[in-house]
Amino acid sequence: MTLRFSPATRRAGLALAALGVAFLGALLVLRGLAGGWTLILLGLPASLGLGLAGDALGGDFPGTLRARWAALAGQTRPWMLWLALYAALKVPVPLWPEGFSLLALLSTGALFVSALAYAWERAGARRALGMAVLASSVGLGVELLGSRTGFPFGVYTYAGAPAPTLLSVPLIVPLGWFALTLATTLLAGGRAWLAGVLMVAWDVGLEPLMTAQGYWTWSDPAPLWAGAPLQNFLGWWAVGSGLSWAFTRISPGTFGPGRRARNLPMQERAVRVSFKVEPVTVERVIQPQPDLSRLTFGVAYPVETFFLPGGLVLVGRYLEAGVTLAAMLAGLALARAVRGGRA
């Protein structure tokens, strides 16, 4: 029996394999072993090239890559560039561990700007700013309330958190609430309850990583995961679902079952074009080209599905990395199932 993979599956699989090579290189660098930088310098550009034209290996790979890169460049929106910067700022983390707080601030800031640019483009300035202000304000408010009273997340503190902070809360926290809510609401097709579930899966990885980096410290008497109690995850679901519901009321046209979020949408079938050049008819096959028209900011979630477990591996939290990967993949599968395979 011969397994047949779609072009999209081949591209994604090859790109992830190349990223895995770069990640292995980062581990070698951390351990002072030879060859690490070589794997990084090979793996990162290879992942981009294979993600665009991996299905053309064995054929005209250079030509396909050039054509698709040109098509991709012509369709790139400002929010996509900020999202790419967000991902790029995560790459140096394993090579500069002491710079984690700075890189976390810069990458989260880029993610916030990407989310704002996307919402601005799709919903207009007034609605985009309304969603950003609402989510950031609510996020800051519940974190202040939670760190002082234990409600709604449990008993924890931000004492000792890296600067910059806002009223003792790390700045990345309110910025993150807006970006996370927008991404999950898009993936959920405007279903607030599902967006809340996706945010809980995201937090499964945030808790062990951010506590390991000293952003907050748990002292709850009933810890369930990485020091966080069950109450924390219920609180995340409630706040995330509430914000998601508010987003769909502020800008109902931005969310809904018809919206799709894919890693790299692409026309999957080659097109055969015939044209007549006297005295013969010439047929030319046009290879599938990138089509970013259906790409949404929801793609931030699968991007983080790669980087968040990877960050946990780098700090030695292997069990937490596996659980986080499983939780986020389950969240993506649930979103796809609820949306009838269109997510």
Side-chain angles (χ1 to χ4, degrees), residues 274-282:
S274 298
F275 54 96
K276 195 165 187 179
V277 180
E278 297 294 345
V280 298
T281 298
V282 179

Side-chain angles (χ1 to χ4, degrees), residues 221-298:
L224 174 67
W225 174 254
L230 176 61
Q231 177 185 344
N232 170 71
F233 301 103
L234 294 176
W236 264 75
W237 180 85
V239 176
S241 296
L243 285 173
S244 177
W245 178 86
F247 277 22
T248 62
R249 296 305 182 272
I250 292 172
S251 182
T254 305
F255 313 96
R259 301 292 180 182
R260 299 184 180 184
R262 300 184 180 181
N263 249 345
L264 185 61
M266 189 176 291
Q267 300 167 351
E268 292 306 333
R269 294 184 179 179
V271 179
R272 187 177 297 276
V273 179
S274 298
F275 54 96
K276 195 165 187 179
V277 180
E278 297 294 345
V280 298
T281 298
V282 179
E283 284 195 346
R284 179 184 177 189
V285 176
I286 301 176
Q287 293 297 325
Q289 297 296 314
D291 176 13
L292 303 187
S293 62
R294 294 174 295 173
L295 191 67
T296 78
F297 182 74

Side-chain angles (χ1 to χ4, degrees), residues 35-323:
W37 282 106
T38 300
L39 293 180
I40 292 171
L41 294 175
L42 289 174
L44 289 178
S47 66
L48 178 59
L50 293 171
L52 277 174
D55 54 314
L57 287 176
D60 184 17
F61 177 79
T64 302
L65 180 60
R66 285 194 299 270
R68 289 180 181 172
W69 178 260
L72 186 69
Q75 299 175 49
T76 301
R77 307 298 302 161
W79 70 266
M80 299 175 189
L81 296 175
W82 284 101
L83 188 64
L85 178 61
Y86 156 74
L89 285 167
K90 289 181 173 292
V91 174
V93 170
L95 311 176
W96 187 32
E98 61 273 18
F100 180 90
S101 59
L102 175 60
L103 292 171
L105 174 65
L106 294 176
S107 64
T108 304
L111 184 66
F112 177 88
V113 174
S114 176
L116 183 62
Y118 177 86
W120 197 300
E121 180 180 295
R122 300 299 176 94
R126 182 173 60 85
R127 290 187 176 91
L129 290 172
M131 288 187 283
V133 170
L134 174 66
S136 298
S137 300
V138 170
L140 177 62
V142 295
E143 298 293 351
L144 286 171
L145 179 66
S147 60
R148 285 161 172 74
T149 68
F151 177 84
F153 303 118
V155 183
Y156 67 103
T157 178
Y158 283 116
T165 60
L166 182 61
L167 300 176
S168 78
V169 177
L171 183 59
I172 66 172
V173 173
L175 296 179
W177 271 104
F178 168 56
L180 267 62
T181 303
L182 182 65
T184 55
T185 305
L186 286 164
L187 274 181
R191 298 170 178 86
W193 69 268
L194 180 54
V197 171
L198 291 168
M199 292 187 74
V200 168
W202 205 326
D203 187 49
V204 166
L206 287 177
E207 293 301 337
L209 181 62
M210 302 308 275
T211 53
Q213 297 295 336
Y215 275 84
W216 56 81
T217 304
W218 284 100
S219 56
D220 197 272
L224 174 67
W225 174 254
L230 176 61
Q231 177 185 344
N232 170 71
F233 301 103
L234 294 176
W236 264 75
W237 180 85
V239 176
S241 296
L243 285 173
S244 177
W245 178 86
F247 277 22
T248 62
R249 296 305 182 272
I250 292 172
S251 182
T254 305
F255 313 96
R259 301 292 180 182
R260 299 184 180 184
R262 300 184 180 181
N263 249 345
L264 185 61
M266 189 176 291
Q267 300 167 351
E268 292 306 333
R269 294 184 179 179
V271 179
R272 187 177 297 276
V273 179
S274 298
F275 54 96
K276 195 165 187 179
V277 180
E278 297 294 345
V280 298
T281 298
V282 179
E283 284 195 346
R284 179 184 177 189
V285 176
I286 301 176
Q287 293 297 325
Q289 297 296 314
D291 176 13
L292 303 187
S293 62
R294 294 174 295 173
L295 191 67
T296 78
F297 182 74
V299 75
Y301 197 95
V303 168
E304 195 65 359
T305 301
F306 174 82
F307 281 109
L308 189 51
L312 287 165
V313 168
L314 293 174
V315 297
R317 301 290 185 91
Y318 303 109
L319 172 63
E320 290 88 341
V323 172

